Amino acid sequence: MKAKVRLYVEHPLGAGQSVPLTREQAHYLFGVMRLGLGDPVALFNGRDGEWRTTVAESGKRGGVLACVEQSRPLQMPPDLWLLFAPIKKARTDFIVEKAAEMGAARIVPVQTEFTNSDRIRQDRLQAHAIEAAEQCGGTVVPEVTDLQKLDRLLADWPEERQLMFCDEAEAGVLKGLAGATPGPWAILIGPEGGFSPAERTRLHALPQAHVVALGPRILRADTAAVAALTLWQTALGDWR
Amino acid sequence: MKAKVRLYVEHPLGAGQSVPLTREQAHYLFGVMRLGLGDPVALFNGRDGEWRTTVAESGKRGGVLACVEQSRPLQMPPDLWLLFAPIKKARTDFIVEKAAEMGAARIVPVQTEFTNSDRIRQDRLQAHAIEAAEQCGGTVVPEVTDLQKLDRLLADWPEERQLMFCDEAEAGVLKGLAGATPGPWAILIGPEGGFSPAERTRLHALPQAHVVALGPRILRADTAAVAALTLWQTALGDWR
C-alpha cells in the first residue's frame, strides 16, 4: 500500500528505528488524515533518504511510527543558494515554495537598498519550505536563513561560489551561463524596484558574477525566481 | 516625464487619436492614481504598439487621453499556446498571470479526465491576463479561451502545431526540445492528478508531441507552467 502522507521529521530513520510523533503530527495523521494502526507513512529527515514506516502507536497527543524499509535514497540537491529580496507576503511565500520544489539547497532572503521589508518571519518561511519538500518528493529541506544585508553578503562573497543574477538594465553585457561550470552557485533575484546603482556596480565587479537575461518582458520577482532556477538546473544542476 | 500608469485599451492608437475612458478607467486614473490634466499615461491595445498619451479631459465618470507618440513598437509574442488544467483558484490565477508575463499568445484552460473543476470564469482570467500584460510591459494581451475538453482538442489537433508536454511517468522516452524547430507550438501542463492512461496513449501517439522532463522532483502545476515556458522561450521563442 502506498503512503498517502509524506512527512519531514528530525528523528533518525533506519532499520529498527521508532519515530515518536509530536502532538501536531499526531493530530494531522490520526485526526485529519484518519490513519490507523499499521497504515503506511513516508518519512524523510534530510539525511537518511525516504523511509516507509507504519503506525505502531496512535493517540490524541502522540504516537509512534516504525521504520520498515528505505523507499528512496537520499538525493542531495545541487549546492545552489537562492537569494531574493522579500516582497509582498503571498509572493514571498511563493518564492520559498518554488525554490524548494525546484531544488535549491539554501534560501537566503536579502535586504537590498530598494527592498521595502526590513524583517521576515524565518520560522514561517522555513515551514513553507518543509511543506513544499513534503509535497514534491524531495528528500532534503532547504534551509531558510534569516534576512541578510546584500552589501555585506557581497563584501564577503565566498571565492569559489559563482553568482547568477538578472539585470534588466544591462541586457547588453550578458555573460550568460554558456561556458559556466558546475560547483557551488547562487542565484540572486533583485527587488521589484531593481538594484541601486551602487549594488549594480558591485555586482558587475564581482569576478564570480554571471549576468543573465530573462526575455524581453519584465518579470515579477516570483516569476523570475522560477525562470532563473529552470535555466540554472537545466544548464548546471540536476535537470541535466 | 515617464508614465506611472500603463493601461490596456481597445480603442485604436495613433497620431491624432483621442481615447475615451470608461468609468472604471477614469476612477483609477483620477481617483486612485490622482492624475491631472497633462499627466502622461502609457497605452497599448495589442495592435498599435505602446503610445505615450496625456490626460486631455478628466472627470468622475470619464475622460479623454490624447495620443502623443509611439513609445514602443508592437512586439507580437511567439505563436505559443499554453494549455493547462485549472486547479485551485489562486494557482489558476497565477498560471494565467505567469503565461502572460512569459509571453504566451493564447491561454487555453483544458478539462482532462482527472481535472476537478468543470467550469472557469473566463472573464476573470482574461482580466488577470490584461493586468499582467499592463505590468510586464508587453504590448499584446494573450487571449484566454473558454474551458475546452482535452480529448476534443487532441482529436482535432492542428497538423502544423508542435506540442510540448511533461509526463513524469514517462521520463525514459524523452524526445525533449533538441532538434525542435520554431513555428506554431503549444505547451500542455497536466492536472496535479496526472493524465489518464487514455490521455497518455493519445498524447504519445500524436506525431507533433515532444515529451519533456522537468527534473527529479514533482512540480506543482503552476511551477511546471513557468519552468516549461522558460525552456520553450529559451530554445525556440523570443528569449533566444
Side-chain angles (χ1 to χ4, degrees):
Chain A
M1 187 160 63
K2 199 174 175 317
K4 282 178 203 159
V5 181
R6 194 168 185 277
L7 285 184
Y8 171 79
V9 294
E10 303 203 337
H11 200 273
L13 301 172
Q17 286 282 359
S18 293
V19 181
L21 295 171
T22 65
R23 195 172 181 147
E24 292 73 30
Q25 287 166 337
H27 172 72
Y28 177 67
L29 292 183
F30 311 129
V32 180
M33 298 303 290
R34 300 277 170 186
L35 298 191
L37 287 177
D39 282 344
V41 178
L43 297 185
F44 66 105
N45 62 5
R47 302 182 305 276
D48 301 317
E50 179 189 275
W51 279 73
R52 195 163 71 79
T53 69
T54 53
V55 177
E57 290 174 35
S58 72
K60 285 197 176 173
R61 294 181 196 170
V64 173
L65 302 177
C67 286
V68 178
E69 58 179 5
Q70 198 188 46
S71 43
R72 293 185 66 179
L74 179 68
Q75 192 191 17
M76 293 301 291
D79 183 4
L80 174 66
W81 300 351
L82 180 75
L83 281 56
F84 75 100
I87 38 178
K88 283 182 211 158
K89 183 175 166 299
R91 289 187 193 267
T92 297
D93 292 352
F94 183 89
I95 289 179
V96 169
E97 174 188 299
K98 289 341 186 193
E101 273 181 59
M102 302 281 302
R106 198 173 192 206
I107 300 169
V108 185
V110 293
Q111 197 176 355
T112 70
E113 283 190 51
F114 297 160
T115 303
N116 289 324
S117 60
D118 56 359
R119 69 180 63 184
I120 55 155
R121 282 278 310 271
Q122 187 277 338
D123 57 337
R124 214 172 48 77
L125 296 181
Q126 185 66 67
H128 273 290
I130 290 173
E131 204 183 311
E134 288 171 345
Q135 160 95 19
C136 77
T139 50
V140 173
V141 175
E143 174 201 11
V144 182
T145 72
D146 272 324
L147 191 65
Q148 314 213 6
K149 285 192 190 294
L150 180 63
D151 56 357
R152 287 196 204 154
L153 264 177
L154 292 182
D156 202 25
W157 190 255
E159 197 179 333
E160 75 288 358
R161 188 167 295 274
Q162 303 289 302
L163 175 70
M164 165 177 164
F165 76 101
C166 313
D167 192 340
E168 281 145 7
E170 301 279 351
V173 297
L174 294 183
K175 257 167 94 180
L177 290 182
T181 48
W185 270 85
I187 293 173
L188 169 61
I189 302 296
E192 305 219 320
F195 294 110
S196 73
E199 287 167 344
R200 178 166 286 125
T201 302
R202 184 159 232 171
L203 280 166
H204 283 281
L206 204 67
Q208 299 94 326
H210 295 251
V211 192
V212 163
L214 299 176
R217 287 158 296 273
I218 300 160
L219 303 186
R220 283 184 186 269
D222 51 354
T223 321
V226 179
L229 284 162
T230 303
L231 291 182
W232 190 89
Q233 285 286 24
T234 310
L236 298 165
D238 64 13
W239 292 27
R240 283 175 294 171
Chain B
M1 189 160 61
K2 198 174 177 317
K4 282 178 203 159
V5 181
R6 193 166 185 278
L7 286 184
Y8 171 79
V9 295
E10 301 202 338
H11 199 272
L13 301 172
Q17 286 282 359
S18 293
V19 181
L21 294 171
T22 65
R23 193 169 182 150
E24 291 74 28
Q25 287 166 338
H27 171 71
Y28 177 67
L29 292 183
F30 311 129
V32 179
M33 298 302 291
R34 301 275 171 187
L35 299 190
L37 287 177
D39 283 343
V41 178
L43 297 184
F44 65 106
N45 62 6
R47 302 183 304 276
D48 300 318
E50 180 190 275
W51 279 74
R52 195 163 72 80
T53 70
T54 53
V55 176
E57 290 174 35
S58 71
K60 286 197 177 175
R61 294 178 196 174
V64 173
L65 301 177
C67 286
V68 178
E69 60 180 3
Q70 199 189 44
S71 42
R72 292 186 66 180
L74 179 68
Q75 190 191 19
M76 294 300 291
D79 183 3
L80 174 67
W81 300 351
L82 180 75
L83 282 55
F84 74 100
I87 39 179
K88 283 183 212 156
K89 183 174 165 300
R91 289 186 193 268
T92 297
D93 293 352
F94 184 89
I95 288 178
V96 169
E97 175 188 299
K98 287 342 181 192
E101 273 180 57
M102 302 281 303
R106 197 174 192 206
I107 299 169
V108 186
V110 294
Q111 198 176 355
T112 70
E113 283 189 51
F114 298 160
T115 303
N116 290 322
S117 60
D118 56 359
R119 69 180 63 182
I120 55 156
R121 282 278 309 273
Q122 188 276 337
D123 56 338
R124 214 172 48 78
L125 295 181
Q126 185 67 67
H128 273 290
I130 290 172
E131 204 182 311
E134 289 172 345
Q135 160 94 20
C136 77
T139 50
V140 173
V141 175
E143 174 202 12
V144 182
T145 71
D146 272 322
L147 190 65
Q148 314 212 7
K149 285 190 191 295
L150 180 63
D151 56 356
R152 287 196 203 152
L153 264 178
L154 293 182
D156 203 26
W157 191 256
E159 198 178 335
E160 73 288 359
R161 188 167 295 271
Q162 302 290 302
L163 175 71
M164 164 177 164
F165 76 101
C166 313
D167 192 341
E168 281 145 8
E170 303 277 352
V173 297
L174 294 181
K175 257 166 94 178
L177 290 180
T181 48
W185 270 85
I187 292 172
L188 169 61
I189 302 295
E192 305 219 322
F195 293 111
S196 73
E199 286 167 347
R200 179 165 286 125
T201 302
R202 185 160 231 169
L203 279 165
H204 282 281
L206 205 68
Q208 299 95 327
H210 296 251
V211 191
V212 164
L214 299 176
R217 287 158 296 271
I218 302 160
L219 303 185
R220 284 184 186 270
D222 51 353
T223 320
V226 178
L229 285 160
T230 303
L231 291 182
W232 190 89
Q233 284 286 25
T234 310
L236 299 165
D238 63 14
W239 291 28
R240 281 176 295 170

